Amino acid sequence: MVIISFLVFLFLMTAIGVYSSKKSLKTSQDYIIADRSIGPIATSLSAVSTCHSGFMFIGMIGFTYLNGISAIWLIIAWLIGDFLAWFFMYTPLREKTEKLNTHTVSGFIASHFSGVKKVVIQKVSALFIVLFLSVYAAAQLTAGSKALSVMLGWHHIVGILVGAVIVTAYSFAGGIRASIWTDVAQSILMLMSMTGLFIVALFQTNGVQGLFQSLNQLDPYLIQWIPQDIGYGFPLYLAGWIAFGFGVCGQPHIIIRPMSISKSSNLKQARYLYFLWYIIFSLCSIGVGLTSRVLLPELALADTELALPILATTLLPSILVGGILAGLFSATISTADSQILSCSAAFTQDIFPSLKNTFSFSKLATLLTMIGVVFISIFGSKSVYVLVILAWSGLAVILGPLIFCKCLNIKLGYKTSLSM
C-alpha cells in the first residue's frame, strides 16, 4: 500500500508538470521566468515549498532531535530575515527586472555595467550560481533518497535516480511554469503530511505537557529555550540566523518566484499566504523533531536525519506512510527542480548568452546540470543539513549583498562588485 500511494503521487506530480506544457510558449523566456504571468497564490505556494524543502523534513528535524526546543530560534530568526526580504526587496526586484528586461539574477547584477565588465560580472556570478545550486539540489536528492531507503527499502542511489528522472521530466515539459504548478500541489501535500504526523505523534506523547515531561526526563537541556555552548553569546547567535534568513535574497531559485509574478502589486497578497503557511509548517516540523526524540530515543546513536521517515513507519498505517513519503518527496523535488532550472538559466542566459534564445539548448543545459547534481548526490556528503547550510550560505554572501544594493539603487563599481 505504501508503494501504491507513493506511485500515485509520482504520477499526479508528473502529470501536472506535463500538462503545464500546454500553456508553455515554447520560448526560452517562458522556460526560465514563465513570461512573468504567475498569480499571487501560485507565487506564494511555489516560493514556500521551494524555500522550505527536504531540509525541513530531514535536516531541521534531525537538528531539533539533537538540540530540543532551542531549535525554534532558527525558525524565528529565519522568519524575521525572510520577512525583511519580502517587505523591502521583492517589489523593486520585480519592477526593475521587468524594466531592464533581465530574466536571471546574474543579468540583474550586471545590468548597470557595459562591455567586458558586464560580461565578466555576469559570467562569474553565474558560475557561482551553478556551483552552489548544484550542491543544494544534490541535498534535495539525498533527502529524498533517505526517505525512500527507510520507507521502501530502496538503495539510496535508486532514490536519487528516481528523483532526478521526475524532476527532469516535468522541467523538460514546461520549465519554470511546470515547476511552479507542481509546487502548488506539493506545498499543500507537504503541509498536510507534516501537520498530520505531528498531531499523531503528539497523542503518543500524551500532549504538550507529556512531551515536555518526557524530554526533561531524557535530558533537561532539551527543554531549555536558550541554546548552550554557542561561543559568542545568544544575541550574536540569533543575529547570525536572522542574517541566514535574509540570505533568501541571494537564492536564485527562490527569488525567481517574485520575478515571475504577474504584477508587483500582487506581492502583498502573496506575502500573507506565504508566511501563514511558513509558520504552521515550521512549528509542526519542530514538533515532529521533539516527539521523535521521545518516541525514538535509540536514534540518538544513529542518523538523526532519519527521524521523520522512521517515526512515520512506526506510527502510521501503510497508506498514510505513503502520504508522508509523498509529502517529503514533494519537498525535495519542489526545490530541486527550481535549482536545476536556475542553473540552466545561468548557462543559457549568462555563461553562453549567444544561445539564450535557443529553446533546445535550455533543455540540454537542464539535462547536463542534472547529471552533475546526481554525481554530487551520490559521491558527496550524506548530511542534508551540511549540504544545505553550505550552499545557502555561499549564495547568500556572494549574491545577496549585490542584489540588495541593486534593489536599493546603490550602484557598486566594477572592482567592488567583482571582489564581493
Side-chain angles (χ1 to χ4, degrees):
M1 187 59 73
V2 175
I3 186 65
I4 292 175
S5 58
F6 179 60
L7 289 176
V8 168
F9 151 76
L10 293 185
F11 173 78
L12 291 175
M13 291 302 105
T14 305
I16 292 172
V18 173
Y19 178 75
S20 71
S21 63
K22 295 185 177 181
K23 300 292 184 179
S24 174
L25 302 179
K26 306 299 181 184
T27 64
S28 58
Q29 178 174 335
D30 189 73
Y31 190 78
I32 292 167
I33 203 168
D35 204 39
R36 291 191 171 92
S37 61
I38 306 300
I41 295 177
T43 297
S44 61
L45 293 179
S46 176
V48 81
S49 63
T50 299
C51 186
H52 306 287
S53 55
F55 176 76
M56 296 298 289
F57 275 89
I58 298 295
M60 188 65 205
I61 288 176
F63 183 83
T64 304
Y65 184 101
L66 292 174
N67 294 277
I69 193 64
S70 64
I72 199 170
W73 289 109
L74 270 67
I75 300 298
I76 294 172
W78 293 347
L79 190 149
I80 294 172
D82 205 350
F83 179 81
L84 292 174
W86 271 88
F87 193 80
F88 290 107
M89 289 189 56
Y90 286 176
T91 296
L93 176 68
R94 169 63 180 83
E95 294 173 349
K96 290 177 183 294
T97 52
E98 181 178 30
K99 182 179 180 180
L100 295 168
N101 194 30
T102 56
H103 309 140
T104 64
V105 168
S106 296
F108 179 57
I109 291 172
S111 60
H112 64 282
F113 295 106
S114 60
V116 175
K117 292 180 179 179
K118 180 176 182 178
V119 172
V120 171
I121 294 294
Q122 197 163 346
K123 289 184 183 293
V124 169
S125 58
L127 287 171
F128 278 120
I129 287 172
V130 172
L131 172 63
F132 284 104
L133 279 189
S134 295
V135 174
Y136 206 150
Q140 306 311 312
L141 297 185
T142 299
S145 70
K146 285 190 175 187
L148 292 172
S149 176
V150 171
M151 293 178 163
L152 300 180
W154 291 5
H155 192 278
H156 76 280
I157 293 180
V158 174
I160 290 169
L161 294 177
V162 167
V165 169
I166 294 171
V167 169
T168 303
Y170 65 71
S171 293
F172 266 27
I176 197 68
R177 189 184 301 277
S179 173
I180 291 173
W181 281 28
T182 51
D183 284 351
V184 172
Q186 289 163 350
S187 65
I188 296 170
L189 186 57
M190 287 166 60
L191 185 61
M192 290 174 60
S193 59
M194 185 70 82
T195 304
L197 181 58
F198 172 56
I199 292 173
V200 172
L202 194 61
F203 274 109
Q204 295 294 317
T205 60
N206 297 316
V208 175
Q209 184 176 357
L211 172 62
F212 275 74
Q213 289 176 348
S214 299
L215 288 170
N216 185 50
Q217 292 173 0
L218 284 172
D219 186 349
Y221 166 72
L222 297 173
I223 60 171
Q224 292 184 12
W225 289 91
I226 304 299
Q228 298 177 338
D229 302 323
I230 50 178
Y232 297 97
F234 179 71
L236 286 180
Y237 175 83
L238 183 63
W241 285 118
I242 291 175
F244 187 88
F246 188 66
V248 69
C249 65
Q251 313 302 316
H253 61 295
I254 297 173
I255 63 176
I256 195 68
R257 268 64 188 166
M259 288 170 61
S260 302
I261 200 168
S262 55
K263 52 185 178 180
S264 59
S265 59
N266 286 338
L267 283 169
K268 184 176 182 180
Q269 181 183 349
R271 184 174 72 230
Y272 290 143
L273 182 56
Y274 177 94
F275 284 102
L276 176 63
W277 191 103
Y278 184 167
I279 292 170
I280 296 173
F281 181 79
S282 299
L283 290 177
C284 289
S285 177
I286 293 288
V288 170
L290 295 175
T291 53
S292 62
R293 182 60 187 263
V294 172
L295 299 173
L296 304 171
E298 69 281 359
L299 202 60
L301 301 176
D303 186 353
T304 59
E305 291 192 337
L306 299 177
L308 182 140
I310 293 177
L311 189 67
T313 54
T314 302
L315 297 181
L316 301 177
S318 58
I319 188 172
L320 295 182
V321 171
I324 294 293
L325 178 58
L328 196 160
F329 215 69
S330 293
T332 61
I333 65 176
S334 68
T335 301
D337 65 348
S338 304
Q339 292 161 339
I340 296 298
L341 289 168
S342 291
C343 289
S344 175
F347 273 120
T348 59
Q349 303 292 303
D350 303 313
I351 298 177
F352 302 106
S354 60
L355 299 171
K356 66 180 181 180
N357 294 319
T358 307
F359 188 52
S360 58
F361 184 66
S362 297
K363 291 191 173 184
L364 177 61
T366 299
L367 179 60
L368 293 176
T369 301
M370 180 56 80
I371 292 173
V373 168
V374 168
F375 183 85
I376 296 172
S377 186
I378 292 175
F379 297 103
S381 172
K382 296 300 181 287
S383 170
V384 176
Y385 182 87
V386 169
L387 289 173
V388 170
I389 296 297
L390 169 66
W392 180 286
S393 299
L395 290 167
V397 299
I398 294 170
L399 301 178
L402 292 169
I403 297 171
F404 178 76
C405 290
K406 187 73 176 177
C407 287
L408 296 185
N409 294 318
I410 301 173
K411 290 187 177 181
L412 301 172
Y414 171 69
K415 292 182 180 179
T416 302
S417 297
L418 189 60
S419 62
M420 289 173 68

